[in-house]
Amino acid sequence: MKKNISLFLMLFITVFTFAQKTISGKITDDDGVGIPSASVTIEEPGKDAILAYGITNSKGEYKVTFTSPESNVDLKVKAFNLKSLTKQISNSDQTLNFKMQSEATEIKEVQLKTKMITARGDTISYDLKAFNSKNDRTLADVMKKIPGIEVNTDGTILYQGNAINKFYVNGKDLMEGGYGTINNSLPKDAVQKVEVLENHQPVKILQDKVPSDQAAINIKLKNSVTMTGRGEVGTGFGEPWLWNVKLTPMFFGQKSQWVVNYKTNNMGEQVENEGNILAFGSGWEGKRSNISQNNWLSVENADAPNLPVKRYLLNSVHYLSANYLTNIDKKKEWELKANANYTNNAVERESNAITTDIQQGIKYNTRFLNNFYTDKLKGELIFTKNAKKGFFKNTTTFSQFWNADRAFAERNDKFGYRYGNEALQSPTSSFQNSLSTIIPWKEKMVNFKSYISYQNDKQVLEISPANYLLIPYKEKDDDEIKNMKFAPGSIALQSFRIKSLDTSHSANISFTTKGWTFTPQVGIDFSTDKLTTNFDAITEDNKPDFSTLAYENDLKFTRVNPSASVGINYKSESWSLFSSFPVNFNNIKAEDQFRNVSKSLNKVTFTPNIFAQYSFASFFKASMSGGISNNFGDIQTAYAGYILTSPGGFSIMSPENPIPQTTTKNGGVRLEYRNPLNNLFFNVGYRLSDAKNNLLASSVVNASGISMTEYIERENKRTSNSYYAEIGKYFPKFKTNASFSFNNSLSKSQLIRNTDLIDNKTDANTLGFKLNNTYFSWMSIDFNATKTWSKQSNAYLTGNLGKIEGYTHNLNVFFYPLEGHTLGFYWDQINSKLGDTKFNNGFFDVSYQFSWTKKKVDFELKWMNIADRKVFEKVTVEDATIKQTTMQLRPSQVMFTVKFNFK
């Protein structure tokens, strides 16, 4: 491994240091006035191969860095209404000034042709028309086909493999990271171009002072004032009766923007995730997160297949959201944003599994039938000033959950057949407020940040009858493992409540000189959690006795963390550096006097992190990163009373365990290339991570697959190494966008299962291919394929037992036999293999769409799951078990849908 790393670093360094040369100078007209926006290209002599390029600034100045093995290169200068220049120059660093002569040309006929990809500075612009097909209707349809850009299944937009940090429409951030609604519902016809803002620092006062390695997306509309939106209304034939309604009107003006969104269906579309925050901006803006519940308890869950969600999701969802932005001052510096969404969702899921426990040499069958009920409300109010002379942002968020889960569970094992009804109620209230302000003070900047969060979670888990549970346990002074015997007809009840307060306050001051920015900071974090739990049930022989304090918790967990740090950042035309060197004074205390819990930790830690990026030869970016982090656990690792976290078994913590300590070291190198002149993008990199822990998971698993888990004091490590590469190119002659990606990950970890120490090693590989073609006027193709192969090995998974192979592809072909008519064919193929066990799962859909072009209305008839495949099968490997699972799918269904734009 060390040899591989060394070779990679040598190659990495060689790429951006070999023969780099810089040409700079000034381009003027006959009168000596600088010419802006002139293009300067460096080409191989006698060839039409561009090595690098640059654009002159407003003063006519240019700078081009390139790499070439040739002794001479050609330099070409072009500008509108001026005579082009070509000069062969030596391959060396030099300063060259040029004077261009006017050249008046009589133009008999003018044809305007927009270049599909253009670049100016850190902004790359894509002409949407160059990448769409006749069947595309929304921004998301086209975004998936743009070279260098990917859209994950959860809606996250990636540029060069990394998530974006902002999503703007006409330069405004209406959605505050929850951009899924706009991406999925903005008509493509309203969009002029998509801009990628590389190395984007969203806080304007920090631009040119504190660099960023993330990109942002700006959607530039055709009109500065746009009223638009997308709607669908559909009904279908199936069991039960199907419906689908989507109504998303939008308005984008110069002073205000708004989006209202209502979506409901029972046909398998997961529309409720559109409100998730996908881009988090800059840490200087304060703290934001997707609000989630503290779900310690759970019913037993049916497995979900690794398929597109629409194939298996049995749902009934209503999702309503509204987003509003307005400027509240004449200078348009202050913005008020109000966001709210409500979700009501019911999901049904079912699976059957045969599990082979290799360690114990047993098999058992399980069947789970779930009903999940989601009922949640979220509201957010944001005040922002983002100007060159100051920054202010205050975000207030309130969330309320009324969720509930149900399960019917069956087990068939050496103890016989058993069934249980499981019910979980999970109400949660949550409040957060985040404030960040940056105030200029002479040549300095002062930043204050404050974050307060309060959350109240309550859960009650009920299992009936209680004798469905056969949980292993040990009596005191007895090493024999027994199973709990509950009284027939009795009910097991686990209650849980946690109240959490989390605060963080900091202040810093920044000094900037010659491109360097130094930011000393002091801060203090304080959090406290109050946990109360109780388990109640009746056993036949009163063993164990659940009335004892061992099955309760009354724990207070407090963390106080003062810190001091200095940030060092540098920004130049070629280099970006940002780093932080914090010293943390960690003070942690956990107390539960009735269970003899009295733990504390006082430790000073140094957790530096650094990122450096070098841009060269116009098209390349090379970067290196590294850091150290510490985690000292939380309340989930400090309690001592038994908690039935799931009907699958109790979780236990020894009161004698110390506070958990995990130290993680990570590093990585990366090389990027993006050339809009030949539509080629690629990135390659290596990451490593080494985590050292002082506690190790130890579980006792019985013949029914039910376990009891505790953590013991034992040093262990988890390591991970991964290589990745991606290359994408658009071929304009063939109207084709193609990309390949590869990822290899090798990880090692440890655990104890039934007193045996298991050293796990997992080697996972993924190869991906994507193709979009619109060459023919009568047909377009979208194709995505993924090949995976992995091997998990340990003392029990030997030979090919832990070797799994998989193949997945998604093919969409559209035919256009007549103007306004579209025939669609859809093929999802999912194959898996473990040893001689193979599963091949194919799904086919067909559609017919008539487009009323004048009114921009589509009428679609679609038949999904033509073969009426009822179940999906897969095989999984986990530690010392192999599980073969059969999962319920959506039946065959026919939908008729009317789709339209609001304007």
Side-chain angles (χ1 to χ4, degrees), residues 594-612:
F594 292 108
R595 274 145 292 275
N596 298 318
V597 176
S598 182
K599 307 177 186 181
S600 63
L601 179 144
N602 297 282
K603 190 170 185 178
V604 179
T605 59
F606 178 56
T607 55
N609 62 81
I610 186 169
F611 174 88

Side-chain angles (χ1 to χ4, degrees), residues 665-729:
K665 301 176 183 178
N666 64 82
V669 290
R670 177 181 172 89
L671 177 67
E672 295 181 41
Y673 176 87
R674 73 280 182 276
N675 187 345
L677 299 177
N678 62 10
N679 312 310
L680 178 63
F681 296 76
F682 79 74
N683 64 85
V684 59
Y686 170 75
R687 298 189 189 100
L688 60 90
S689 175
D690 184 298
K692 184 178 179 181
N693 309 281
N694 67 333
L695 295 183
L696 182 64
S698 176
S699 62
V700 175
V701 185
N702 66 16
S704 186
I706 295 178
S707 67
M708 182 169 286
T709 303
E710 61 180 331
Y711 287 82
I712 62 174
E713 187 175 5
R714 178 168 181 157
E715 186 173 294
N716 63 97
K717 293 178 66 176
R718 178 182 295 272
T719 60
S720 175
N721 298 271
S722 64
Y723 301 87
Y724 63 91
E726 181 181 19
I727 182 169
K729 180 173 174 58

Side-chain angles (χ1 to χ4, degrees), residues 480-623:
E480 182 183 357
I481 298 176
K482 302 177 182 178
N483 289 322
M484 298 179 182
K485 296 182 179 179
F486 293 89
S490 63
I491 295 174
L493 199 67
Q494 175 69 63
S495 62
F496 161 93
R497 187 162 192 169
I498 183 170
K499 297 180 180 180
S500 304
L501 175 66
D502 184 14
T503 67
S504 178
H505 308 283
S506 66
N508 66 56
I509 186 169
S510 297
F511 309 82
T512 300
T513 176
K514 296 181 180 180
W516 290 88
T517 301
F518 301 91
T519 308
Q521 174 176 297
V522 293
I524 183 168
D525 296 343
F526 171 80
S527 65
T528 180
D529 299 297
K530 178 66 174 177
L531 172 70
T532 55
T533 74
N534 180 63
F535 178 78
D536 191 22
I538 301 174
T539 53
E540 291 183 344
D541 52 5
N542 204 32
K543 292 183 180 180
D545 184 1
F546 297 123
S547 64
T548 64
L549 295 175
Y551 292 88
E552 298 179 17
N553 286 282
D554 189 3
L555 176 68
K556 185 177 181 180
F557 187 90
T558 304
R559 179 188 287 110
V560 182
N561 181 20
S563 63
S565 68
V566 59
I568 302 176
N569 305 291
Y570 176 74
K571 177 68 176 176
S572 69
E573 190 171 331
S574 299
W575 282 97
S576 291
L577 167 73
F578 51 93
S579 58
S580 179
F581 302 91
V583 177
N584 305 286
F585 304 88
N586 302 278
N587 302 279
I588 300 173
K589 192 172 185 179
E591 289 185 302
D592 182 350
Q593 59 178 339
F594 292 108
R595 274 145 292 275
N596 298 318
V597 176
S598 182
K599 307 177 186 181
S600 63
L601 179 144
N602 297 282
K603 190 170 185 178
V604 179
T605 59
F606 178 56
T607 55
N609 62 81
I610 186 169
F611 174 88
Q613 179 177 272
Y614 178 60
S615 301
F616 61 101
S618 295
F619 308 118
F620 286 93
K621 291 182 180 181
S623 61

Side-chain angles (χ1 to χ4, degrees), residues 220-272:
K220 192 169 184 179
L221 303 181
K222 293 178 179 178
N223 301 313
S224 58
V225 178
T226 303
M227 177 69 191
T228 186
R230 186 76 177 158
E232 295 183 19
V233 178
T235 185
F237 308 98
E239 183 60 41
W241 168 76
L242 303 173
W243 76 81
N244 178 29
V245 177
K246 300 179 181 178
L247 301 172
T248 313
M250 308 176 184
F251 173 79
F252 303 100
Q254 295 181 331
K255 183 179 178 181
S256 64
Q257 296 182 350
W258 55 260
V259 173
V260 176
N261 181 36
Y262 173 65
K263 294 182 179 178
T264 177
N265 74 85
N266 68 341
M267 55 169 291
E269 284 201 45
Q270 204 170 29
V271 296
E272 67 275 11

Side-chain angles (χ1 to χ4, degrees), residues 26 76 102 140 288 565 596 632 662 664 745 777 866:
K26 186 174 182 179
K76 296 182 179 181
S102 299
R288 294 183 75 232
S565 68
N596 298 318
F632 296 102
T662 302
T664 303
S745 178
S777 61
I866 296 174

